Amino acid sequence: MEISGRPYRSASGAPLALRRRQHSASCRELALRRPRLQLRSLSAVTSAVWLAAYGIFVLSENSMVLSAAIFITLIGLIIYLHFVKIDQESLLVIGSLGIQVTSSYASGKESTTFIEMSRVKDVVINEAIHMQKVIYYLCILLKDPQDPQGVSEVVPLFQSSQPRLDCLMEVYKSCQEILDQRKEAPQSSEMK
Amino acid sequence: MVLKVFFPSCCSSAESGILIGRWISEQNSAVVLAVVHFPFIPVQVKQYLSELQRVTKVSVSVLGSWNNSKQEKEESLSEFLEDLGTIFSHEPWIQISKEGDSKFWSCSTLQKRSNNHREEEIIIVYYDQRKVMLSCLHPPLDTGASTAHEAEDASRLSAIFDTVAKSKILFMTDKYDDGPIKLTHWQSDGVEASIIVELMKQASVPACMLLTFLLSLISGACKSRMLKFWPLSFLWSKLSTCEQLSHRLQHLQVISSNKKAQNQTQLMRKANIFVSLLIDVALGILLMSWLYRKNRIGHLADTLIPVADHVAEELQDLLQWLMGAPAGLKMNRALDQVLGRFFLYHIHLWISYIHLMSPFIEMILWYVGLSACLGLTVALCILSDIVALLTFHIYCFYVYGARLYCLKIYGLSSLWRLFRGKKWNVLRQRVDSCSYDLDQLFIGTLLFTILLFLLPTTALYYLVFTLLRLLVVIVQGLIHLLVDLVDSLPLYSIILRLCRSYRLAAGVKFRVLEQQDGKPLRLLMQINPLSYGSVVQTYRLPTYSCYPKDSWTSLCKKLFLGELIYPWKHKGEKQD
């Protein structure tokens, strides 16, 4: 079952699309898609760099400057697409298995982290003071092996998309529905 | 709770039969290891499983039935499979059936003991058996050190990886064996083996024995009393080449030991050391061939003496400049001349020494260059030692300048205290007031004034020679950094991560496959490889690395006070 993207905004105002898919009763996928790389900005940066290089070439009469500029532009673009530009961030919650966080980059690379359900304490929305504004972010609290009530680590989610509170609440509600199921299950098995 | 079935993807097209594997009741999951086909005798299957359990220490049992019907559903077969549940009592009895070539299987469980028949949700997770068997999860759990409590807390993933890895012997029987049991697993089409690996295993035993024998001879010779006399032992401790050679000797001893590696970490360590040695020697031989071709080493030896001469001349010019009015500063004439002449005499001695050695330099260098075949690291260490020897006079000047400056600073601080009427109490380690006699005060103030006005001259000499010394230290430090890099880089692990990334697993990742309503959830479990940074960090080889022993503030303090600095400290050296 799929619910197609509704328009939300990120903390900086960029448009985001949230997509929810329910694969089964205990498995949900939530994906946030960011705006793609615009041809406009790409050509603007490339022309600026090449104009500057041409200016230096005219001043210094050294043709190496031009080839160096082309080289730098290519390498810079590859590095940007492969390491910096995140296209989509998704959260896959499988009740009784765990939570998987994936970031897909513009070059197709996907970096995934899977956290087992036994390590997850809870999923909460936290506030943070960043420079002059207060931002909300969703995070997973991990259990501390020594202290059953304590939290050993906080894993923030959707760090590059930074959606606003309305989007975060949707995601939070979806996650909590699945996490509630695991709290019910041990109780019912005790009642047997 | 949700029931999870981990099904190997190689058994998807297997014929009907029963499923064997491990049931993990705490996590309500079943790890299927193989499918046993008809016909079989239940007693023999039970015997086989108990035998397997004894050997692998994994509680393998019959989990359920697998029905792969190519045509329409055969009712009799499915009833027969249900009846099998009574023979092989397992709670719960899992029944998986696949129709034709459909991707969507139906899975149900039979619970006999429980009274309430809840509709449990079932998740089928496909996994690649070969990759999971060969892979190693990081961070690794020490099986020897874990207590029972920790074993309970062990993550489900490591339990699954463990189960498949320990059942290696189950995968050794293939379909061509004439046994009573016919299995399907990842190796059932034929056991894989490599001739090259087998040959190398056979050849490695005598090679290791030979190497151990040679190494024992060499280490015996090194430990002999002759080499332990005072001047020689001091020399060995100062030369970095000897340290590097002993480090490599240790590595060779690790590789050539007869004991098999106990666990993954030891195996990787041995492999890393082996590859590192191989690459080192290969690069060293390459360097050697480059040096000896076109007699480059002769050219190097020819330029060495002129370079040393040039350095000495530059130093002489520097001293002449200091003896004049350097940078417009006015120096104390007499002290200036004394210090300048003292250092000039030293340089004169040094130049004559170098000229004495000059006819032998080429031959010495030629033979020393041969030792580059022991490895690139040894060649770099020799280079660092040559640099240290050639700049020995700079080191001497630095020591003279520093001692003089240090003496002056201490004298000044003590006399300053006297000037104010205080004294350093050695017993209490603090400054106390003290009443001096008049003549003590008079002489003290006189000396203080003299030292104060001579301070700029000494300070300038000290500054110049300290800068030169720091330059040499930085060059040596860079060379040692390079040696450290070659020594400690785990090349085998990096190449493994590049080519067989499933062997080093940081975790797993799940992909949701196509779903159909009413059928269980289908997931694909893939291995998430370790990042290159964590590979290097986990498998770094320990070295006798040199690292700066002082922080920036303490270094500056030492420089200001004139204490001698030895910025690079080797691990294992005693603190002074």
Side-chain angles (χ1 to χ4, degrees):
Chain A
M1 194 167 72
E2 175 168 346
I3 300 178
S4 60
R6 268 181 244 157
Y8 288 103
R9 292 204 161 265
S10 81
S12 51
L16 296 173
L18 175 69
R19 193 185 64 160
R20 288 197 335 236
R21 286 181 76 163
Q22 172 121 5
H23 296 289
S24 87
S26 68
C27 177
R28 276 206 198 145
E29 188 176 354
L30 299 130
L32 262 180
R33 194 160 337 131
R34 299 186 66 207
R36 289 224 140 98
L37 183 66
Q38 305 274 6
L39 188 61
R40 212 172 29 198
S41 49
L42 180 64
S43 7
V45 170
T46 314
S47 355
V49 171
W50 285 358
L51 275 175
Y54 190 70
I56 299 177
F57 165 68
V58 161
L59 284 173
S60 68
E61 303 289 334
N62 186 3
S63 64
M64 282 291 290
V65 175
L66 294 175
S67 23
I70 295 177
F71 194 62
I72 290 173
T73 321
L74 269 174
I75 298 285
L77 185 68
I78 291 177
I79 291 179
Y80 179 68
L81 289 180
H82 196 70
F83 293 108
V84 175
K85 179 100 186 74
I86 296 185
D87 258 353
Q88 176 174 299
E89 286 177 304
S90 69
L91 192 69
L92 176 70
V93 185
I94 310 172
S96 80
L97 262 183
I99 304 183
Q100 177 168 293
V101 183
T102 319
S103 309
S104 340
Y105 290 83
S107 62
K109 170 173 109 157
E110 285 193 1
S111 105
T112 324
T113 325
F114 178 73
I115 304 169
E116 295 179 45
M117 209 39 115
S118 56
R119 285 178 63 200
V120 171
K121 188 155 187 279
D122 205 357
V123 174
V124 295
I125 299 183
N126 254 353
E127 290 176 328
I129 301 177
H130 175 70
M131 302 278 241
Q132 81 287 9
K133 51 186 183 212
V134 175
I135 53 174
Y136 298 94
Y137 64 97
L138 193 71
C139 58
I140 306 178
L141 302 175
L142 299 183
K143 283 186 194 156
D144 194 3
Q146 273 89 34
D147 176 17
Q149 299 301 322
V151 173
S152 74
E153 212 183 314
V154 171
V155 180
L157 304 173
F158 301 127
Q159 277 188 294
S160 70
S161 327
Q162 289 184 355
R164 291 191 180 168
L165 194 59
D166 46 3
C167 181
L168 284 179
M169 290 216 299
E170 287 285 336
V171 179
Y172 175 77
K173 278 187 217 156
S174 288
C175 287
Q176 286 295 337
E177 277 166 32
I178 308 250
L179 288 179
D180 280 339
Q181 288 173 8
R182 71 163 174 168
K183 284 181 200 121
E184 285 166 25
Q187 287 169 4
S188 56
S189 65
E190 279 165 24
M191 281 189 329
K192 264 202 231 166
Chain B
M1 243 168 83
V2 180
L3 173 72
K4 297 165 281 268
V5 178
F6 288 88
F7 199 84
S9 28
C10 50
C11 296
S12 307
S13 48
E15 302 285 332
S16 308
I18 52 170
L19 302 165
I20 56 171
R22 183 178 167 203
W23 169 251
I24 309 176
S25 52
E26 307 89 49
Q27 302 162 11
N28 216 27
S29 28
V31 182
V32 175
L33 290 171
V35 177
V36 178
H37 298 296
F38 308 116
F40 58 82
I41 304 175
V43 172
Q44 281 183 336
V45 172
K46 285 188 187 167
Q47 260 182 352
Y48 180 69
L49 286 178
S50 57
E51 177 79 24
L52 203 65
Q53 207 161 331
R54 196 180 52 86
V55 173
T56 61
K57 317 251 184 314
V58 174
S59 54
V60 186
S61 57
V62 178
L63 295 173
S65 67
W66 161 248
N67 186 1
N68 184 1
S69 49
K70 303 273 183 345
Q71 301 91 21
E72 347 52 68
K73 249 183 144 172
E74 296 163 19
E75 283 294 332
S76 54
L77 190 60
S78 34
E79 270 183 34
F80 171 60
L81 289 171
E82 262 190 49
D83 291 336
L84 277 177
T86 51
I87 308 177
F88 290 112
S89 58
H90 183 263
E91 183 75 10
W93 182 254
I94 302 171
Q95 291 168 304
I96 309 182
S97 66
K98 171 182 172 185
E99 277 108 44
D101 274 331
S102 157
K103 279 185 287 195
F104 307 108
W105 306 349
S106 49
C107 182
S108 59
T109 57
L110 271 183
Q111 306 241 27
K112 277 163 261 160
R113 271 180 234 150
S114 67
N115 290 329
N116 47 344
H117 267 268
R118 265 175 319 118
E119 271 302 315
E120 258 188 334
E121 195 190 334
I122 303 177
I123 301 181
I124 302 185
V125 182
Y126 298 103
Y127 71 96
D128 189 330
Q129 210 164 42
R130 176 168 174 264
K131 290 193 176 164
V132 170
M133 187 185 88
L134 289 174
S135 134
C136 170
L137 260 187
H138 297 80
L141 280 173
D142 271 323
T143 47
S146 63
T147 61
H149 176 69
E150 279 173 35
E152 275 171 34
D153 281 342
S155 69
R156 61 189 43 164
L157 287 175
S158 55
I160 295 164
F161 276 71
D162 230 19
T163 311
V164 181
K166 283 191 184 150
S167 318
K168 239 180 167 144
I169 196 156
L170 173 66
F171 306 131
M172 285 301 174
T173 52
D174 55 23
K175 68 183 183 198
Y176 304 108
D177 280 343
D178 278 326
I181 318 254
K182 295 255 176 294
L183 294 168
T184 303
H185 47 73
W186 70 273
Q187 258 191 164
S188 54
D189 278 338
V191 175
E192 301 181 345
S194 159
I195 296 184
I196 300 179
V197 170
E198 296 298 318
L199 278 177
M200 281 181 56
K201 277 192 194 161
Q202 295 297 323
S204 68
V205 172
C208 276
M209 284 177 40
L210 185 67
L211 201 59
T212 327
F213 177 63
L214 283 173
L215 284 175
S216 56
L217 280 180
I218 295 177
S219 46
C222 287
K223 287 195 177 56
S224 71
R225 291 290 303 273
M226 254 184 15
L227 295 174
K228 291 255 185 242
F229 285 143
W230 180 79
L232 283 177
S233 68
F234 178 73
L235 203 65
W236 300 149
S237 68
K238 285 297 170 200
L239 286 178
S240 58
T241 319
C242 299
E243 285 232 32
Q244 177 65 18
L245 282 173
S246 71
H247 186 65
R248 280 307 195 199
L249 212 68
Q250 261 182 345
H251 278 175
L252 278 174
Q253 277 174 339
V254 168
I255 297 183
S256 65
S257 73
N258 292 349
K259 288 190 304 198
K260 241 174 108 71
Q262 307 288 35
N263 54 15
Q264 169 83 350
T265 348
Q266 278 185 6
L267 183 71
M268 293 292 272
R269 181 128 178 262
K270 268 189 161 183
N272 278 325
I273 291 177
F274 183 65
V275 172
S276 157
L277 269 172
L278 218 64
I279 299 279
D280 199 12
V281 170
L283 284 174
I285 293 181
L286 215 70
L287 180 71
M288 207 171 76
S289 73
W290 178 80
L291 273 179
Y292 284 88
R293 208 185 303 164
K294 297 189 200 168
N295 200 21
R296 284 210 182 89
I297 201 149
H299 295 319
L300 203 70
D302 283 340
T303 55
L304 210 63
I305 301 289
V307 161
D309 269 347
H310 180 72
V311 167
E313 268 175 37
E314 290 287 322
L315 268 179
Q316 276 178 331
D317 287 341
L318 184 72
L319 281 168
Q320 294 291 356
W321 179 68
L322 280 175
M323 273 167 44
L329 294 168
K330 189 155 189 304
M331 317 294 295
N332 178 287
R333 196 114 196 99
L335 185 63
D336 217 359
Q337 296 284 329
V338 162
L339 286 175
R341 291 226 183 93
F342 177 64
F343 290 133
L344 275 172
Y345 180 62
H346 265 85
I347 295 180
H348 173 75
L349 277 178
W350 180 255
I351 291 185
S352 4
Y353 168 67
I354 294 267
H355 280 256
L356 207 72
M357 286 259 295
S358 61
F360 307 112
I361 287 282
E362 180 163 353
M363 197 169 58
I364 295 176
L365 213 61
W366 205 90
Y367 285 114
V368 159
L370 277 181
S371 64
C373 71
L374 290 173
L376 182 70
T377 44
V378 177
L380 284 173
C381 281
I382 290 178
L383 179 70
S384 150
D385 285 337
I386 289 178
V387 165
L389 281 176
L390 282 182
T391 56
F392 190 62
H393 48 332
I394 294 181
Y395 175 64
C396 282
F397 290 169
Y398 164 71
V399 172
Y400 297 150
R403 286 272 184 244
L404 214 61
Y405 179 75
C406 181
L407 220 69
K408 182 154 279 188
I409 290 286
Y410 275 114
L412 270 176
S413 57
S414 165
L415 290 172
W416 172 248
R417 282 193 282 265
L418 176 138
F419 201 60
R420 284 157 50 222
K422 297 207 188 291
K423 194 175 86 151
W424 175 254
N425 190 341
V426 185
L427 211 59
R428 295 284 185 95
Q429 295 288 316
R430 65 172 188 204
V431 178
D432 277 342
S433 62
C434 170
S435 58
Y436 290 99
D437 296 338
L438 195 63
D439 48 356
Q440 281 176 331
L441 275 176
F442 181 64
I443 295 186
T445 315
L446 207 64
L447 281 174
F448 176 75
T449 324
I450 293 174
L451 283 178
L452 186 67
F453 287 130
L454 288 179
L455 185 65
T457 318
T458 343
L460 195 69
Y461 274 88
Y462 172 65
L463 187 73
V464 167
F465 291 130
T466 310
L467 285 174
L468 284 173
R469 170 86 186 132
L470 282 178
L471 197 69
V472 172
V473 159
I474 287 174
V475 168
Q476 276 195 301
L478 284 174
I479 296 179
H480 280 283
L481 215 67
L482 201 59
V483 169
D484 240 3
L485 188 71
V486 178
D487 259 347
S488 68
L489 199 66
L491 269 174
Y492 175 73
S493 307
I494 292 179
I495 295 174
L496 200 67
R497 166 68 182 85
L498 204 63
C499 305
R500 304 259 184 277
S501 54
Y502 56 84
R503 294 275 296 260
L504 304 165
V508 295
K509 51 188 178 199
F510 290 93
R511 213 178 76 200
V512 184
L513 302 172
E514 276 177 55
Q515 305 301 323
Q516 202 183 55
D517 279 335
K519 304 282 185 182
L521 179 68
R522 295 164 75 229
L523 296 172
L524 176 67
M525 183 170 92
Q526 289 166 317
I527 297 192
N528 200 11
L530 215 52
S531 66
Y532 286 101
S534 357
V535 167
V536 171
Q537 210 175 0
T538 322
Y539 290 112
R540 263 189 75 139
L541 294 169
T543 58
Y544 63 95
S545 63
C546 38
Y547 53 96
K549 84 176 153 179
D550 294 314
S551 62
W552 285 109
T553 40
S554 67
L555 191 73
C556 288
K557 184 166 160 250
K558 278 195 180 169
L559 281 175
F560 185 69
L561 287 180
E563 285 175 26
L564 290 176
I565 48 169
Y566 298 102
W568 307 116
K569 176 174 118 106
H570 286 208
K571 258 193 219 162
E573 259 184 27
K574 292 193 289 262
Q575 288 272 13
D576 46 328

